[in-house]
């Protein structure tokens, strides 16, 4: 009978040891799960020393990752650009100090999770984020941001607009990262330069007019070689005079478009035909024809004289760059459903634009590749100023339209496409 207590004692000790081992395995399992690991049975049955080494390795790896994460957070917090992170529900989950300054986010504190729309009223920013999320590709856009009335006053005054450039990157789980750059200093410098040049052109117009009259008077009184010299002087004075006029025109269109434009209702197709007829002598010299595709008539309300200037410039460029005997293509596409914008395309078959020049062809005084430089035709005193396409763009922009320049994939020449509204906005009908 003495064996019975011994057996019972051994069984009880075995049960206690088994229970203790199971508790130890459960604790190890919980610890491994806390480090993001999913342990196997082999790992749980490993010697305790191996488990300790594994846990130590996991702990050190976690510490290194946390240190690297903290370092990236410090970089973002002290970055000279704005950084936002928005989740799939458009909630703002991260925003560094520079972004809070640019967007005037005085109502947001680190750690808060709120809808971005509640904090920043910017249609352009919302669309940029949504486009990035739906397309799953990086996007970039520049816009003028107007802070809300209760936003914190900046140094330049309350509620002053600021030009921002946003670049986005799609992240996992529908999150979007937004990088913001302050473009206001660049725009201020650009406006300052343009004002300086405008003031200079104003000052140049008076002496140029006097020099022009004097050269015309001398031309009438000279003969022989002196007459030829006077004619060359007058030609260069006229070239400079037209350059000044074009620059002043461009400045007025940009600063006060509604004061410069004079609206009337006319037939756009007839206006295109009249502009081409004006350049018929130049087209006949190179045997260049025009091929038109579009409606027979299309009524619109705009500044007919300014749009005539647009077509004269585009046709003039097309004729000069087009090969002899080839056609220039003009296409007019009426507005689609739920749209009030007409699309016009002008395509020549010349050498086209250099790809490196395409981003700059509408900039003032930009001449680009010599392959697109006009030949030496002294009959056109306004040629080669670098303001023609800039004026075209400004006229179209003043009407509320847009213009793009490309090279046509089939004809290889310049492909200018622009859109124009057929009617004025309701608030502008009294102009």
């Amino acid at each position: 009978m003495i064996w019975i207590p011994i057996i019972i004692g051994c069984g009880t000790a075995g049960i206690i040891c088994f229970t203790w081992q199971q508790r130890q395995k459960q604790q190890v399992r919980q610890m491994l799960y806390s480090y993001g690991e999913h342990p196997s049975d082999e790992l749980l049955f490993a010697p305790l020393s191996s488990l300790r080494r594994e846990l130590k390795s996991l702990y050190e790896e976690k510490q290194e990752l946390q240190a690297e994460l903290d370092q990236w957070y410090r970089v973002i917090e002290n970055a000279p650009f704005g950084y936002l992170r928005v989740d799939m529900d458009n909630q703002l989950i991260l925003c560094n100090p520079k972004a809070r300054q640019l967007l005037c986010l005085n109502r947001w504190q680190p750690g808060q999770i709120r809808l971005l729309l509640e904090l920043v009223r910017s249609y352009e920013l919302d669309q940029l984020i949504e486009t990035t999320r739906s397309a799953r590709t990086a996007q970039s856009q520049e816009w003028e941001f107007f802070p809300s009335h209760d936003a914190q006053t900046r140094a330049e005054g309350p509620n002053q607009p600021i030009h921002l450039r946003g670049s986005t990157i799609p992240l996992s789980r529908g999150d979007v990262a937004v990088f913001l750059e302050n473009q206001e200093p660049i725009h201020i410098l650009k406006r300052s330069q343009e004002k300086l040049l405008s003031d200079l052109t104003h000052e140049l117009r008076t002496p140029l007019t006097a020099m022009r009259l004097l050269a015309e008077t001398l031309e009438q009184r000279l003969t022989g070689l002196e007459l030829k010299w006077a004619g060359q002087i007058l030609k260069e004075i006229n070239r400079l005079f037209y350059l000044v006029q074009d620059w002043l025109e461009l400045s007025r269109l940009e600063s006060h478009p509604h004061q410069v434009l004079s609206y009337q209702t006319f037939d756009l197709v007839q206006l295109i035909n009249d502009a081409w007829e004006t350049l018929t002598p130049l087209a006949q010299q190179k045997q260049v024809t025009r091929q038109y595709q579009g409606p027979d008539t299309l009524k619109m309300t705009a500044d007919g004289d300014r749009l005539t200037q647009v077509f004269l410039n585009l046709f003039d460029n097309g004729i000069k760059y087009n090969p002899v005997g080839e056609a220039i293509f003009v296409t007019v596409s009426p507005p689609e459903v739920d749209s009030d914008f007409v699309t016009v395309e002008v395509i020549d078959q010349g050498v086209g634009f250099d790809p490196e020049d395409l981003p700059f062809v509408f900039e003032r005084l930009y001449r680009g590749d010599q392959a697109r430089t006009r030949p030496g035709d002294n009959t056109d005193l306004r040629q080669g100023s670098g303001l023609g396409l800039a004026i075209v763009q400004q006229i179209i922009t003043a009407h509320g339209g847009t213009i793009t320049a490309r090279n046509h994939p089939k004809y290889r020449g310049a492909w200018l496409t622009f859109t124009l509204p057929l009617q004025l906005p309701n608030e502008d009908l009294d102009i």
Side-chain angles (χ1 to χ4, degrees):
M1 299 298 292
I2 194 171
W3 294 101
I4 295 177
I6 295 175
I7 293 173
I8 294 175
C10 291
T12 303
I15 293 173
I16 292 174
C17 290
F18 178 78
T19 303
W20 180 84
Q21 286 181 349
Q22 293 298 318
R23 288 183 178 179
Q24 290 293 316
K25 290 179 182 180
Q26 185 64 27
Q27 291 178 358
V28 171
R29 188 186 300 272
Q30 291 177 355
M31 292 175 64
L32 291 175
Y33 272 119
S34 68
Y35 287 102
E37 295 291 331
H38 300 279
S40 62
D41 292 337
E42 295 180 358
L43 181 61
L44 292 177
F45 282 105
L48 186 59
S49 59
S50 298
L51 291 176
R52 287 176 178 173
R53 287 195 300 270
E54 185 70 21
L55 289 175
K56 182 179 179 181
S57 176
L58 290 173
Y59 178 76
E60 291 175 351
E61 183 179 351
K62 181 181 179 181
Q63 290 293 98
E64 292 176 359
L65 291 175
Q66 186 62 47
E68 186 174 353
L69 183 61
D70 293 341
Q71 183 178 7
W72 277 111
Y73 273 121
R74 288 194 298 271
V75 170
I76 291 297
E77 284 293 302
N78 296 279
F81 53 82
Y83 175 77
L84 308 174
R85 181 164 180 169
V86 183
D87 65 12
M88 63 179 302
D89 297 320
N90 285 331
Q91 296 183 118
L92 181 62
I93 59 178
L94 188 61
C95 180
N96 72 347
K98 188 63 176 180
R100 295 198 292 272
Q101 176 191 355
L102 293 175
L103 299 176
C104 300
L105 287 177
N106 56 314
R107 295 181 297 167
W108 187 85
Q109 298 297 327
Q112 287 184 340
I113 298 180
R114 297 179 58 182
L115 284 174
L116 181 63
L117 187 60
E118 295 179 359
L119 302 169
V120 182
R121 301 296 177 89
S122 174
Y123 171 81
E124 294 84 0
L125 180 59
D126 292 339
Q127 287 296 111
L128 181 61
I129 293 173
E130 187 60 33
T131 302
T132 304
R133 184 180 290 116
S134 60
R136 297 297 301 168
T137 57
Q139 305 288 328
S140 181
Q141 183 181 349
E142 186 173 337
W143 73 94
E144 193 173 15
F145 171 66
F146 291 83
S148 59
H149 292 290
D150 58 345
Q152 185 177 6
T153 301
R154 294 201 305 272
E156 60 266 26
N159 302 319
Q160 293 294 320
I162 179 174
H163 289 83
L164 295 178
R165 180 178 180 82
S167 302
T168 56
I169 300 176
L171 304 176
S172 60
R173 300 189 302 275
D175 290 8
V176 176
V178 183
F179 300 90
L180 296 176
E181 301 175 70
N182 184 4
Q183 300 289 299
E184 192 62 24
I186 298 177
H187 282 264
I188 292 175
L189 179 61
K190 181 180 178 181
R191 288 194 295 267
S192 176
Q193 291 176 339
E194 291 175 353
K195 184 178 184 303
L196 176 63
L197 287 172
S198 296
D199 293 342
L200 179 61
T201 51
H202 273 290
E203 295 299 324
L204 286 174
R205 187 167 55 174
T206 299
L208 282 175
T209 302
M211 293 168 62
R212 187 181 185 184
L213 293 174
L214 180 60
E216 290 175 348
T217 302
L218 288 175
E219 190 178 35
Q220 297 174 0
R221 299 185 178 184
L222 297 176
T223 59
L225 187 59
E226 290 82 2
L227 177 61
K228 180 181 178 180
W229 291 343
Q232 291 178 347
I233 292 174
L234 180 60
K235 182 183 66 176
E236 296 303 324
I237 291 175
N238 283 332
R239 191 187 304 276
L240 187 56
F241 182 82
Y242 288 132
L243 176 61
V244 169
Q245 274 194 329
D246 288 344
W247 188 276
L248 292 176
E249 173 108 353
L250 191 57
S251 299
R252 286 194 297 266
L253 281 169
E254 187 175 27
S255 303
H256 309 287
H258 293 298
Q259 297 179 10
V260 176
L261 300 181
S262 178
Y263 292 91
Q264 65 266 2
T265 301
F266 56 88
D267 183 0
L268 176 61
V269 178
Q270 185 60 46
L271 183 143
I272 294 175
N273 293 334
D274 293 342
W276 181 261
E277 288 296 327
T278 302
L279 297 175
T280 296
L282 181 62
Q284 289 178 344
Q285 290 179 5
K286 295 189 63 177
Q287 303 175 13
V288 174
T289 59
R290 180 196 59 159
Q291 292 189 13
Y292 171 79
Q293 182 179 357
D296 295 333
T297 60
L298 186 63
K299 295 293 183 180
M300 71 178 301
T301 301
D303 189 324
D305 293 335
R306 299 291 178 180
L307 291 187
T308 298
Q309 187 178 357
V310 167
F311 285 105
L312 286 175
N313 188 292
L314 298 183
F315 290 160
D316 180 64
N317 286 343
I319 292 171
K320 286 186 170 65
Y321 299 138
N322 215 54
V324 176
E326 299 293 343
I328 292 176
F329 302 93
V330 181
T331 303
V332 175
S333 302
E336 299 178 353
V337 179
D338 300 330
S339 174
D340 190 40
F341 283 80
V342 58
T343 302
V344 181
E345 299 174 83
V346 179
I347 306 168
D348 66 52
Q349 301 187 61
V351 296
F353 297 105
D354 190 304
E356 296 181 357
D357 295 332
L358 280 174
F360 314 105
V361 294
F362 295 110
E363 291 188 2
R364 302 181 184 188
L365 302 178
Y366 188 81
R367 295 293 301 277
D369 183 25
Q370 293 301 314
R372 289 285 297 185
T373 303
R374 296 183 174 185
D377 183 0
N378 295 330
T379 59
D380 186 2
L381 297 175
R382 308 175 86 106
Q383 65 185 8
S385 67
L387 292 178
L389 288 180
I391 293 177
V392 166
Q393 183 193 47
Q394 200 59 54
I395 292 174
I396 292 173
T397 301
H399 280 86
T402 59
I403 184 170
T404 58
R406 292 169 288 176
N407 290 326
H408 197 275
K410 178 180 178 181
Y411 301 108
R412 308 298 181 185
W415 181 13
L416 281 301
T417 304
F418 61 91
T419 61
L420 288 170
L422 287 181
Q423 300 295 331
L424 291 173
N426 292 331
E427 62 270 20
D428 294 333
L429 289 176
D430 57 343
I431 295 179

